[in-house]
Amino acid sequence: KQEVTQIPAALSVPEGENLVLNCSFTDSAIYNLQWFRQDPGKGLTSLLLIQSSQREQTSGRLNASLDKSSGRSTLYIAASQPGDSATYLCAVRETGGFKTIFGAGTRLFVKA
Amino acid sequence: NAGVTQTPKFRILKIGQSMTLQCAQDMNHNYMYWYRQDPGMGLKLIYYSVGAGITDKGEVPNGYNVSRSTTEDFPLRLELAAPSQTSVYFCASSYSLVSQRNTGELFFGEGSRLTVL
């Protein structure tokens, strides 16, 4: 059974700092891995999607990497801003493609 | 382009009442999903559907029912509401993975916040 874990559960950093959020999964047979952002009381916004054949994806100040063999993904946020404060969720889509399994998320607070 | 639309956004139910959460998508997606999210937790899959007339249970299906009569709509039914069903419910959709060009990206609605008292 696929399990997705995100560490840390919460993180507080000063503005301008570069930071890394971690995601690990137990079964390397994945179709893709998707990072989402969720603001309090809101829905999920897709940030980056990495296909199983890819190693990384970049969008602006965000970079996501994937290492299937070790069951890990990282989300790197450069020059963090207070507007980056949110919960970041990692989700793994199983090979076969029907189900996507979510981690519990990392709650990020960027202090001005 | 509306994407995934959920109604209602908020609802308060009394124990034992029934209701239906509506979900519609206009992207011609085959796959549709219902998740619930409890405070501080990730999303748990309730039910999913891979096409009209085809549904299957996820991790936490007890107390819920679904139907999929059209490609666009995937309603979630709560028959006898219980306090344990107080949660935020998210509907999501994606293309099927038959085409190799499909990334399998998941698209979400804004959520429906349900309180059972």
Side-chain angles (χ1 to χ4, degrees):
Chain A
K1 178 186 173 185
Q2 178 73 269
E3 293 182 359
V4 180
T5 303
Q6 292 187 246
I7 295 173
L11 181 64
S12 180
V13 300
E15 182 178 6
E17 190 163 299
N18 301 326
L19 60 101
V20 173
L21 307 181
N22 296 293
C23 172
S24 62
F25 47 95
T26 55
D27 187 345
S28 62
I30 67 171
Y31 187 85
N32 65 30
L33 186 145
Q34 200 167 350
W35 282 94
F36 293 88
R37 169 185 171 138
Q38 185 177 30
D39 294 294
K42 301 294 186 182
L44 280 72
T45 301
S46 180
L47 296 174
L48 290 165
L49 182 146
I50 311 177
Q51 297 287 74
S52 63
S53 59
Q54 298 173 328
R55 297 283 293 182
E56 66 177 352
Q57 284 287 336
T58 298
S59 175
R61 295 183 293 109
L62 305 179
N63 176 276
S65 68
L66 175 64
D67 183 345
K68 276 201 316 178
S69 61
S70 65
R72 293 180 184 176
S73 175
T74 62
L75 179 66
Y76 175 82
I77 301 177
S80 58
Q81 303 169 358
D84 294 330
S85 298
T87 296
Y88 292 80
L89 294 160
C90 166
V92 168
R93 187 156 196 163
E94 298 178 322
T95 299
F98 294 146
K99 298 180 184 179
T100 297
I101 309 300
F102 282 79
T106 294
R107 189 160 56 183
L108 173 66
F109 180 64
V110 181
K111 298 171 287 187
Chain B
N1 193 346
V4 180
T5 303
Q6 290 184 235
T7 56
K9 286 185 169 45
F10 302 93
R11 183 73 186 267
I12 297 174
L13 281 182
K14 293 182 180 179
I15 295 172
Q17 286 185 321
S18 300
M19 75 159 299
T20 299
L21 300 177
Q22 301 291 344
C23 175
Q25 53 88 13
D26 61 0
M27 297 174 282
N28 202 30
H29 286 169
N30 294 98
Y31 295 177
M32 294 188 75
Y33 306 84
W34 275 105
Y35 288 90
R36 62 176 286 172
Q37 185 180 35
D38 299 316
M41 306 291 286
L43 277 70
K44 300 291 185 186
L45 182 63
I46 305 172
Y47 270 96
Y48 66 98
S49 169
V50 300
I54 307 170
T55 62
D56 206 348
K57 297 177 181 179
E59 302 170 81
V60 289
N62 292 342
Y64 307 94
N65 277 300
V66 294
S67 60
R68 184 97 181 270
S69 57
T70 67
T71 300
E72 294 78 18
D73 300 298
F74 190 40
L76 178 72
R77 177 95 178 147
L78 286 71
E79 290 294 347
L80 291 170
S84 61
Q85 294 178 304
T86 294
S87 189
V88 181
Y89 292 84
F90 288 100
C91 180
S93 70
S94 76
Y95 286 111
S96 70
L97 302 183
V98 175
S99 168
Q100 290 186 345
R101 291 177 295 174
N102 178 33
T103 64
E105 185 175 1
L106 207 54
F107 295 84
F108 278 84
E110 288 292 307
S112 296
R113 188 176 298 272
L114 175 67
T115 301
V116 182
L117 300 174

